[in-house]
Amino acid sequence: MADRLTAVDTAPDLSILTLGVEEEYLLLDPDSGRNLPVADQVLAALSGTARNQSRQEFRHSMVEMVTPVCADLTELRAHLVELRRSAAQAAAAAGARLVAVGATPVAEPHRTVPDEPRYHAMSRRYGPVAHDPAVCGCHVHVGLPDRELAVQVCNHLRVWLPVVQAITTNSPLHDGYDTGHASWRSMQLERWPSIGPTPYFDSAADYDRTVDELIAAGIMLDAAMVYWYARPSSAYPTVEVRVGDVCTEVDDAVLVAALVRSLVATLADDVRAGVDAPNVRDCLVAAAHWRAAHDGLDGELIDLRAGGTRPAWALVDELMAVIAPALLRHGDLGYVLAQLARLRRDGTGATRQRQVLERGGDLGAVLDDLIARTAAV
């Protein structure tokens, strides 16, 4: 009988990995486009679930919203929509507009850090780097409680993360001008000593030993300052991928989350099967990330498995071939194919900003478009 389910029938499918997303947003003046230091007002105006899922960030002009742990993309998208809607309403009440964009597009006059001991310690340690204009990322968490497995998965991720980065590029503007880079956020973050491609580690013990040495050397204040592009989370039993700009379109964010989840699932299977991760030289991995930040999906990327450069979309297609079984297993294949077709047609966030700039020749038009797309949930 259908109503007589056994414990085995109701057990969770352990091959289906959970996921969650952290999104950072800017608070901009609707007239000038400058960053507004009203984060405290915005956070105070949130209530209920939105308040519980919000976080103070490193700038007075930023807020972060964090989804709960989700099992499927429909649930994830619904949470992102509701969190954005709540944060946008609170921002409007404070005289600002909530904008999902990777880097400060115009200017940030107010660059002091919030009055928290940790932020003041970071300011003292890193000086002017800690007072660069605000940047906003999208961090994807995929449930993987085996920490040893998580470290090995991060080794395998190294060759694929430049492709993920290219898909998310959404910050071509800085100081009111096109930087020539699809992700200026990535360029700004290179000034921090603990941000960049994840090193290759032999084991979780090797990972921990290295982090301890970096803390002892003064490179990081603590383990929470491991800002590598992929890491075993310091707070959750997850692999955290933090390479991407925050996406203006909600469906871009959900697409990236789906790709990352299936990539982690695929690579975890490879680790269990005894497949070794390609141990690519760090300088080549760094070069691949620079190229991804510069070109996005509109040019070429470095193929870290085969060597040389190739059209960006050719590497996206190869990524899809690798992770298609995991996408199918999670029920995400149809959605991902549809969203990639849209992205191929309309371009990344960086491409769309440039298209608006070229059509109108006006930075204000770009900001209006960003505000509308962020709110179009």
Side-chain angles (χ1 to χ4, degrees), residues 299-331:
E300 295 193 329
L301 300 176
I302 295 174
D303 187 338
L304 288 172
R305 295 166 307 142
T309 59
R310 300 179 58 198
W313 276 101
L315 285 176
V316 173
D317 291 341
E318 287 201 10
L319 171 63
M320 282 296 294
V322 168
I323 67 174
L327 287 168
L328 187 62
R329 186 168 80 222
H330 285 87

Side-chain angles (χ1 to χ4, degrees), residues 151 154-155 158 196-201 207 210 214 228 230 282:
V151 169
C154 288
N155 286 340
R158 283 159 48 91
T198 310
Y200 187 100
F201 294 105
Y207 179 99
T210 302
L214 290 169
W228 295 321
D282 289 347

Side-chain angles (χ1 to χ4, degrees), residues 46-305:
L46 295 172
S47 61
T49 301
R51 182 69 186 94
N52 295 334
Q53 300 300 130
S54 67
R55 302 287 185 272
Q56 183 184 53
E57 260 300 332
F58 194 54
R59 285 286 179 274
H60 292 282
S61 60
M62 290 174 64
V63 294
E64 181 180 49
M65 305 300 288
V66 180
T67 72
V69 177
C70 300
D72 61 67
L73 300 187
T74 300
E75 180 186 7
L76 178 71
R77 190 182 192 283
H79 282 300
L80 286 172
V81 166
E82 185 55 37
L83 291 172
R84 285 188 178 207
R85 181 179 292 123
S86 298
Q89 291 171 351
R97 295 296 180 269
L98 190 81
V99 179
V101 65
T104 295
V106 178
E108 184 175 20
H110 188 91
R111 298 193 198 175
T112 61
V113 299
D115 191 18
E116 295 288 339
R118 178 179 174 78
Y119 292 155
H120 287 304
M122 292 170 69
S123 179
R124 289 192 300 269
R125 177 69 57 87
Y126 303 106
V129 173
H131 299 272
D132 280 345
V135 293
C136 297
C138 173
H139 304 161
V140 179
H141 287 261
V142 179
L144 207 64
D146 183 332
R147 198 159 178 278
E148 190 69 52
L149 178 60
V151 169
Q152 297 303 323
V153 165
C154 288
N155 286 340
H156 283 258
L157 279 168
R158 283 159 48 91
V159 298
W160 288 113
L161 287 187
V163 183
V164 175
Q165 180 182 14
I167 291 170
T168 71
T169 48
N170 190 37
S171 53
L173 303 179
H174 173 69
D175 202 22
Y177 297 96
D178 189 333
T179 64
H181 292 76
S183 173
W184 186 247
R185 166 185 167 272
S186 299
M187 297 297 98
Q188 275 192 227
L189 289 176
E190 285 190 354
R191 285 158 56 90
W192 287 84
S194 61
I195 293 180
T198 310
Y200 187 100
F201 294 105
D202 293 331
S203 63
D206 184 28
Y207 179 99
D208 292 337
R209 184 168 52 250
T210 302
V211 171
D212 288 343
E213 290 176 358
L214 290 169
I215 294 171
I219 304 303
M220 306 172 185
L221 296 182
D222 50 41
M225 283 198 70
V226 174
Y227 296 147
W228 295 321
Y229 295 153
R231 65 179 186 179
S233 171
S234 61
Y236 309 107
T238 65
V239 167
E240 180 184 3
V241 171
R242 44 190 302 120
V243 71
D245 290 356
V246 67
C247 299
T248 304
E249 304 270 0
V250 168
D251 281 311
D252 285 357
V254 179
L255 167 64
V256 171
L259 294 173
V260 169
R261 174 166 67 170
S262 284
L263 185 53
V264 168
T266 300
L267 299 179
D269 289 343
D270 286 349
V271 173
R272 294 186 186 103
V275 178
D276 292 330
N279 194 351
V280 182
R281 290 180 178 176
D282 289 347
C283 60
L284 292 176
V285 178
H289 280 289
W290 183 88
R291 191 65 188 260
H294 187 272
D295 286 20
L297 292 180
D298 293 329
E300 295 193 329
L301 300 176
I302 295 174
D303 187 338
L304 288 172
R305 295 166 307 142

